Amino acid sequence: MEYITVQEAAKKWKISDRLVQKYCAEGRIEGVRKFGKSWGIPSSAVKPQDPRKEKESPIPRLPHPQPEAFPGFMPLMNTPFELGRCVAYINEIEDGSRREIALAEYHYFSGQPEKAIQESELYLTCPDAAYRFSACWIYAYANLSVGQIQHARYALTEIKSTLAANVEKAPYIRAIEAFVVFASSVLLHLPLPEKMPPAQEFLPLLPSGLRAFALYVQAHYLYLKEDYGKSVGIVEATLSMGADRYPIPAIYLHLVAVMDYMSLKQTQQAQKHLLAAWEIARPDDLIEGFGEHHGLLGGMLEAVIKPGWPEDFKRIIAITYRFSAGWRKIHNPATGHDVADDLTTTEFAAAMLAARGWTNQEIAQHMNISSHTVKRYISTVLQKLGIRQRQELKKYMLK
Amino acid sequence: MGKTRQYNIEGVLLEIPLCYDKIAEREIEIFPDFIETPVYTPEGCPVLFTGEDACAYGETPDGAPCIDCGSCRYYRQTPGALVGVCGHEKKRRKPPERPNLNMDEMKPYKGGTQG
Ligand code: SF4
């Protein structure tokens, strides 16, 4: 990203240097960063409104997110780094905690959980809440990926107990906590904790990148409630409001859109979003999300990624097997059954679509296979699950 | 010839090949495609996989959309099997002139082409 100085911004916006400094300190300029003692203002930043005019506004304003209050929390997720320059961006970060957390994030999102565990472990008890929460998040998910469930549980419990603690905290810290707890509950399909604040309370306090990811979580939540229209509405709105500048949230937003559109049987839209996610992920190899969401993408990876990028597809599927084994151990589905433990990813994809009422012909067309092959997958799935009819598939499949 | 499992589906003997599945660590039945290679009972009713796409005559008992044979009210699924028989009149093949109902003389149907 290109930055301009306070003086340059003052000249551009025709206001005094002091006012620009004030806006920076109040966190009223999107994406502003501190370099040593001076502020760097994104060259694309919009001039904030005059506070005197704002006072006249009849609409009560929520405190604006302060990016500087979050430097340590998931820095990569909260950065609009240039595609293909993710590692270069991390290398540019000054040596220290922020850089190490960013590196752990990168290793996690690029499907290297062992490295992510090593790097995040050091920060699990860090007194700085932002680093500690980032570490717990990365550590929990990376451990899920390698099947170390006890470690994942430990990190998740740690997060929840901090949220439950009745300690006076800055609103921004509470917002981070709520965000992390919300995300881990929704993404692991676990019940939301009782003390969970409503999303509208913490969402506005998050800086843009984190807010975009939180909105992905919100969309995922609606998807699980089978409210696909609303879910995809959130995704499209979030992306159109600039979230696509943040590669990590953008990948996940596009993926949830694929899930929604597949549920709505709008395969062309789903494909468009999958390719959009892939274009963002590929230059930096941020493939973890594809593997984790495989079961919900309704055979889209088989239909689109497998023919075009067979080697990447194999790596994604390896992530799927790794992650889903751990996920199933921690997940407690309503039926009490282990969800489709013995299925291959292709069998799972075909069964997911069948469970949603797709015909064999439709599945065959979508997955570029013959109808006979689809039936073979379905019959294998029925046998492995010990059920007699495909109608019963629904209770075994992910929502 | 590998392992097979035999079913008597309303008078037609099916021999279904089994294939060992490494993930599930068990034998899985590999059904033939009964649409491509139809099999009929001595009464002329088609034998079908429960997950076969419903045809235009399919109806569910409760009036819900009929997706597959397994949910169709004309389908009689063989206990313990993923195959059954469609009892819809329109799907019935004209019965052979002299149906052979003697099971001992019936030749088993060698199901499937997948070895
Ligand atoms: S059981 Fe018969 S009538 Fe019913 S859907 Fe299948 S083929 Fe059609």
Side-chain angles (χ1 to χ4, degrees):
Chain A
M1 187 192 293
E2 263 185 48
Y3 290 93
I4 56 173
T5 63
V6 166
Q7 291 73 22
E8 285 166 335
K11 204 168 162 194
K12 187 173 156 193
W13 295 337
K14 299 188 177 66
I15 53 175
S16 68
D17 292 4
R18 241 179 100 200
L19 194 52
V20 176
Q21 301 260 23
K22 191 166 174 273
Y23 286 160
C24 290
E26 287 172 356
R28 299 185 56 208
I29 302 169
E30 184 95 353
V32 74
R33 279 191 62 189
K34 199 148 197 185
F35 297 98
K37 283 186 180 167
S38 42
W39 294 101
I41 298 157
S43 52
S44 56
V46 182
K47 176 188 167 186
Q49 275 208 343
D50 188 327
R52 284 161 300 185
K53 282 181 197 158
E54 278 184 89
K55 270 183 204 153
E56 287 157 21
S57 165
I59 305 159
R61 288 184 180 274
L62 290 158
H64 198 281
Q66 295 183 341
E68 288 304 307
F70 296 83
F73 186 71
M74 303 299 270
L76 212 51
M77 187 188 277
N78 196 27
T79 297
F81 58 83
E82 206 181 300
L83 299 187
R85 294 207 72 249
C86 182
V87 174
Y89 162 75
I90 296 167
N91 289 335
E92 281 163 17
I93 302 175
E94 214 175 285
D95 256 351
S97 308
R98 189 165 184 268
R99 182 170 163 185
E100 282 176 30
I101 289 290
L103 197 60
E105 262 185 289
Y106 168 70
H107 284 137
Y108 171 66
F109 287 115
S110 60
Q112 304 178 64
E114 288 85 359
K115 286 185 185 167
I117 291 169
Q118 268 186 1
E119 288 147 357
S120 58
E121 199 166 19
L122 305 170
Y123 289 89
L124 291 178
T125 52
C126 178
D128 184 311
Y131 293 132
R132 186 170 70 250
F133 275 117
S134 308
C136 284
W137 174 315
I138 300 163
Y139 188 78
Y141 278 90
N143 268 297
L144 266 187
S145 272
V146 293
Q148 294 186 29
I149 305 310
Q150 287 313 322
H151 294 206
R153 271 191 219 280
Y154 161 75
L156 292 172
T157 316
E158 192 69 15
I159 295 170
K160 281 187 185 162
S161 57
T162 319
L163 182 73
N166 237 351
V167 183
E168 210 36 55
K169 289 168 198 151
Y172 300 106
I173 298 296
R174 287 208 72 84
I176 296 182
E177 288 178 1
F179 166 51
V180 175
V181 173
F182 180 53
S184 52
S185 301
V186 171
L187 302 180
L188 292 172
H189 304 194
L190 298 170
L192 292 175
E194 278 175 24
K195 290 201 173 183
M196 185 74 215
Q200 63 268 31
E201 265 182 30
F202 66 85
L203 273 180
L205 295 175
L206 298 171
S208 308
L210 299 186
R211 200 183 320 139
F213 198 88
L215 283 163
Y216 145 71
V217 178
Q218 183 78 16
H220 198 120
Y221 181 67
L222 289 166
Y223 166 85
L224 292 175
K225 290 195 164 305
E226 300 182 26
D227 200 343
Y228 309 122
K230 232 186 216 173
S231 172
V232 86
I234 287 188
V235 172
E236 301 281 18
T238 309
L239 287 168
S240 68
M241 287 171 77
D244 51 353
R245 291 189 303 127
Y246 295 86
I248 292 176
I251 292 168
Y252 283 77
L253 281 160
H254 282 297
L255 290 177
V256 86
V258 177
M259 288 150 49
D260 288 323
Y261 279 122
M262 285 308 287
S263 300
L264 295 166
K265 274 195 174 176
Q266 296 182 26
T267 43
Q268 278 190 349
Q269 287 292 341
Q271 180 163 342
K272 196 184 93 187
H273 278 280
L274 187 81
L275 285 170
W278 189 235
E279 262 175 41
I280 301 169
R282 217 171 149 241
D284 295 294
D285 207 27
L286 301 171
I287 59 171
E288 178 73 24
F290 292 81
E292 288 177 12
H293 287 77
H294 170 274
L296 305 171
L297 297 174
M300 235 336 143
L301 295 179
E302 282 77 2
V304 177
I305 306 294
K306 191 177 179 182
W309 298 270
E311 287 310 309
D312 291 329
F313 176 77
K314 277 189 210 156
R315 291 191 305 126
I316 291 172
I317 292 304
I319 291 173
T320 305
Y321 279 117
R322 199 162 38 62
F323 184 80
S324 56
W327 192 88
R328 285 198 287 264
K329 283 186 204 166
I330 206 159
H331 182 238
N332 183 21
T335 58
H337 297 289
D338 270 353
V339 186
D341 248 341
D342 290 339
L343 309 188
T344 66
T345 50
T346 320
E347 287 163 358
F348 192 94
M352 264 304 267
L353 296 170
R356 286 169 179 198
W358 286 50
T359 65
N360 299 325
Q361 286 286 351
E362 288 170 333
I363 300 171
Q365 208 174 1
H366 171 58
M367 292 177 74
N368 292 322
I369 51 180
S370 72
S371 176
H372 175 53
T373 309
V374 174
K375 285 188 268 186
R376 182 169 166 173
Y377 286 141
I378 303 290
S379 78
T380 303
V381 170
L382 296 183
Q383 291 175 70
K384 287 184 180 180
L385 297 177
I387 54 178
R388 295 185 66 222
Q389 294 185 346
R390 60 196 272 166
Q391 280 170 302
E392 294 172 61
L393 276 175
K394 203 164 186 176
K395 65 178 182 229
Y396 289 83
M397 292 290 116
L398 302 171
K399 276 190 178 169
Chain B
M1 176 90 188
K3 282 189 195 171
T4 59
R5 185 166 293 147
Q6 291 198 348
Y7 288 105
N8 185 338
I9 313 287
E10 298 189 11
V12 67
L13 205 60
L14 287 189
E15 197 163 327
I16 305 296
L18 296 172
C19 176
Y20 187 76
D21 187 284
K22 281 187 200 147
I23 301 179
E25 296 178 342
R26 51 176 281 207
E27 307 281 0
I28 295 290
E29 296 172 6
I30 308 297
F31 292 96
D33 191 325
F34 295 111
I35 301 294
E36 279 172 18
T37 323
V39 177
Y40 292 90
T41 65
E43 279 73 33
C45 296
V47 172
L48 293 165
F49 166 51
T50 173
E52 202 64 68
D53 284 345
C55 74
Y57 306 113
E59 283 174 26
T60 56
D62 57 3
C66 186
I67 295 275
D68 61 355
C69 289
S71 52
C72 175
R73 70 190 186 93
Y74 298 106
Y75 189 67
R76 298 188 296 268
Q77 191 160 347
T78 304
L82 293 180
V83 284
V85 171
C86 167
H88 198 289
E89 265 314 303
K90 292 265 167 53
K91 302 294 283 188
R92 192 188 276 240
R93 186 177 64 170
K94 216 177 136 219
E97 277 178 13
R98 254 180 274 157
N100 182 356
L101 297 176
N102 183 347
M103 289 283 294
D104 295 337
E105 286 175 27
M106 274 199 306
K107 276 192 185 157
Y109 170 77
K110 305 279 182 194
T113 51
Q114 351 234 335

